[in-house]
Amino acid sequence: MKNEKFAGISDILKTKKIKKTPAYEWQELALRIIEELKIPNNKRSSVFKACKQLPKNFILQSLNDTKELCKTGDKWKYFFKIISGKE
């Protein structure tokens, strides 16, 4: 036990990752959708745009419909198909 080195406060702060919180509610919703539906990086901006422009209730309903109706395949494609009907 005497040979174990304790991490100093500077070591702890070096490894700490700082995560920025979203500034707007629609950004948080977009991040949730990206994570849940595993949206590819090249489609992320489309999710942010939809969450900013479309009503939150519609986006949430589309997310729920996608999870319920699309059991196989790319769920994110189904999600975009649903929201494109609104635009």
Side-chain angles (χ1 to χ4, degrees):
M1 292 222 154
K2 291 182 181 180
N3 293 339
E4 291 180 19
K5 292 184 180 179
F6 290 100
I9 192 79
S10 62
D11 294 333
I12 293 171
L13 293 176
K14 286 179 189 176
T15 60
K16 183 179 177 183
K17 294 181 181 178
I18 298 173
K19 188 173 184 180
K20 291 175 67 176
T21 57
Y24 298 100
E25 187 178 355
W26 59 265
Q27 290 174 327
E28 189 173 336
L29 178 60
L31 291 172
R32 177 179 156 204
I33 291 168
I34 289 168
E35 183 179 326
E36 287 186 28
L37 299 181
K38 297 176 181 32
I39 308 280
N41 287 338
N42 62 337
K43 298 292 181 184
R44 289 173 54 113
S45 61
S46 299
V47 176
F48 282 104
K49 181 180 176 184
C51 289
K52 184 176 182 181
Q53 294 178 345
L54 298 173
K56 180 181 177 181
N57 291 339
F58 175 74
I59 295 292
L60 288 173
Q61 185 63 45
S62 299
L63 176 63
N64 290 335
D65 289 347
T66 299
K67 290 193 288 187
E68 183 179 324
L69 299 173
C70 186
K71 299 296 182 187
T72 60
D74 294 328
K75 291 183 179 183
W76 62 271
K77 289 180 182 179
Y78 193 83
F79 175 77
F80 282 120
K81 187 178 281 191
I82 292 173
I83 63 170
S84 66
K86 174 72 174 176
E87 293 183 47

